[in-house]
């Protein structure tokens, strides 16, 4: 089963994809995380997109489709995957339709106030992209990744100005895709305000996955 997670920044797409990976075995593909790895490794692409991402702008469709295509060439995707943060523009949605078969597009619904609370408290481990929240999902030791012991950092695009810009970009560029997928009867919606455990249970139900704790 192949899924697309679609929703505003901070609505919990990455958090729920991580749980679905651990519990259901989905491969989690986040174009944002693929870009952050390019930046960390100081590749040519990473240098080109670093400031765009920090400001909350989208990377070009060309770069994004290219990086996704490369990731989809790996064998593990045959198990079924979650695309987290792709597609984000109509051009990307059309490219995906030509490349892959998608079973459901899951919409994460969350209000702006809650999004801002979540993103201002988010911290990440740079090596894995693992995500925490200073209040909602703190690490065992403050400021330290549970797995690797590395120091947690704030994403450059989680500063208030960039967050507000990302919300505008979502509204203008990405939200129109909901209609595109509704016409294909692929949309499933979930209430992203509940706890991660409850959002995960909603996911299992709406995609019709046979899973018991
Ligand atoms: P990307 O990394 O995809 O960022 P995003 O879509 O803005 O999404 P986020 O990662 O901010 O949020 P999320 O929904 O995954 O929330 P999370 O689970 O972390 O993209 C970054 C940038 O890369 C883009 O701005 C763009 O520049 C570029 N890019 C990426 N894809 C692109 C594309 N296709 N085209 C062009 N450019 C692209 O949760 C947020 C916080 O809330 C965390 O702290 C978490 O612990 C907490 N939390 C999560 N769920 C809950 C819950 N249920 N209750 C309480 N707290 C919760």
């Amino acid at each position: 089963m192949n899924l697309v997670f679609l929703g505003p920044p901070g609505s919990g797409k990455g958090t729920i994809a991580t749980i679905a990976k651990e519990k259901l075995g989905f491969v989690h593909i986040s174009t944002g995380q693929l870009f952050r790895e390019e930046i960390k490794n100081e590749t040519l692409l990473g240098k080109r997109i670093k400031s765009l991402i920090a400001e909350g702008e989208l990377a070009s469709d060309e770069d994004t489709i290219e990086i996704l295509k490369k990731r989809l060439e790996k064998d593990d995707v045959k198990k079924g995957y979650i695309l987290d943060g792709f597609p984000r523009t109509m051009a990307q949605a059309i490219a995906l339709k030509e490349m892959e078969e998608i079973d459901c597009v899951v919409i994460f619904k969350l209000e702006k106030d809650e999004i801002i609370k979540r993103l201002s408290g988010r911290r990440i481990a740079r090596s894995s992209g693992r995500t925490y929240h200073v209040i909602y999902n703190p690490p065992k030791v403050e400021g330290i990744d549970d797995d690797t012991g590395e120091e947690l950092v704030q994403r450059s695009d989680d500063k208030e100005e960039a967050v507000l810009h990302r919300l505008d970009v979502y509204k203008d560029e990405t939200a129109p895709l909901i209609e595109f997928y509704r016409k294909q009867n692929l949309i499933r919606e979930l209430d992203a305000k509940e706890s991660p455990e409850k959002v995960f249970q909603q996911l299992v139900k709406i995609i019709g996955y046979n899973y018991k704790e």
Side-chain angles (χ1 to χ4, degrees), residues 88-118:
R88 260 170 149 106
T89 65
M90 197 51 82
Q92 293 177 16
I94 291 167
L96 180 63
K97 196 167 188 319
E98 284 166 4
M99 272 184 322
E100 294 285 309
E101 193 77 36
I102 297 298
D103 298 288
C104 296
V105 176
V106 179
I107 308 294
F108 283 62
K109 294 172 77 180
L110 191 66
E111 281 160 18
K112 188 174 170 183
D113 290 356
E114 184 63 22
I115 288 172
I116 290 171
K117 270 191 229 159
R118 287 191 187 177

Side-chain angles (χ1 to χ4, degrees), residues 8-15 30-33 35-36 53 56-59 64 84-88 92 118-119 121-122 131-133 136-137 155 157 166 192 194-196 199:
S11 54
K13 304 179 296 295
T15 301
S30 155
T31 39
Q33 180 59 19
F35 283 139
R36 284 186 288 280
I53 291 200
E57 295 290 350
L58 293 183
T64 311
D84 161 12
F86 186 98
R88 260 170 149 106
Q92 293 177 16
R118 287 191 187 177
L119 291 182
R122 174 164 62 184
T131 297
Y132 298 86
H133 189 282
Y136 304 140
N137 177 26
R155 269 172 47 176
D157 58 348
R166 283 159 65 203
E194 295 195 313
S195 67
V199 176

Side-chain angles (χ1 to χ4, degrees), residues 23-183:
K23 298 198 172 179
L24 309 179
F26 278 97
V27 173
H28 174 197
I29 303 177
S30 155
T31 39
Q33 180 59 19
L34 293 173
F35 283 139
R36 284 186 288 280
E37 277 160 22
E38 296 285 328
I39 293 171
K40 191 178 73 177
N41 295 331
E42 300 184 346
T43 62
L44 276 178
L45 170 62
K47 285 178 186 160
R48 197 160 67 235
I49 58 175
K50 188 174 177 178
S51 60
L52 273 180
I53 291 200
E55 286 159 19
E57 295 290 350
L58 293 183
S60 72
D61 286 332
E62 205 184 359
D63 281 339
T64 311
I65 293 165
E66 185 60 33
I67 205 170
L68 180 77
K69 261 191 187 160
K70 245 196 208 158
R71 179 62 186 86
L72 290 174
E73 280 166 10
K74 294 195 180 165
D75 264 358
D76 61 348
V77 299
K78 294 192 185 109
K79 290 190 274 182
Y81 57 76
I82 293 171
L83 293 183
D84 161 12
F86 186 98
R88 260 170 149 106
T89 65
M90 197 51 82
Q92 293 177 16
I94 291 167
L96 180 63
K97 196 167 188 319
E98 284 166 4
M99 272 184 322
E100 294 285 309
E101 193 77 36
I102 297 298
D103 298 288
C104 296
V105 176
V106 179
I107 308 294
F108 283 62
K109 294 172 77 180
L110 191 66
E111 281 160 18
K112 188 174 170 183
D113 290 356
E114 184 63 22
I115 288 172
I116 290 171
K117 270 191 229 159
R118 287 191 187 177
L119 291 182
S120 58
R122 174 164 62 184
R123 300 292 180 269
I124 63 159
R126 239 192 249 286
S127 64
S128 62
R130 185 174 173 152
T131 297
Y132 298 86
H133 189 282
V134 290
I135 297 164
Y136 304 140
N137 177 26
K140 289 180 188 136
V141 177
E142 194 184 327
I144 302 293
D145 182 39
D146 293 347
D147 284 343
T148 61
E150 73 192 270
E151 205 173 321
L152 300 177
V153 294
Q154 187 174 36
R155 269 172 47 176
S156 56
D157 58 348
D158 279 348
K159 309 261 156 61
E160 195 181 340
E161 203 181 324
V163 167
L164 294 176
H165 186 59
R166 283 159 65 203
L167 284 168
D168 287 342
V169 171
Y170 176 78
K171 197 166 126 234
D172 295 343
E173 302 280 348
T174 309
L177 300 186
I178 297 175
E179 213 28 57
F180 174 78
Y181 285 120
R182 206 179 291 286
K183 286 187 186 140

Side-chain angles (χ1 to χ4, degrees), residues 1-19:
M1 184 181 255
N2 299 329
L3 308 177
V4 165
F5 280 6
L6 197 66
S11 54
K13 304 179 296 295
T15 301
I16 302 306
T18 303
I19 300 176

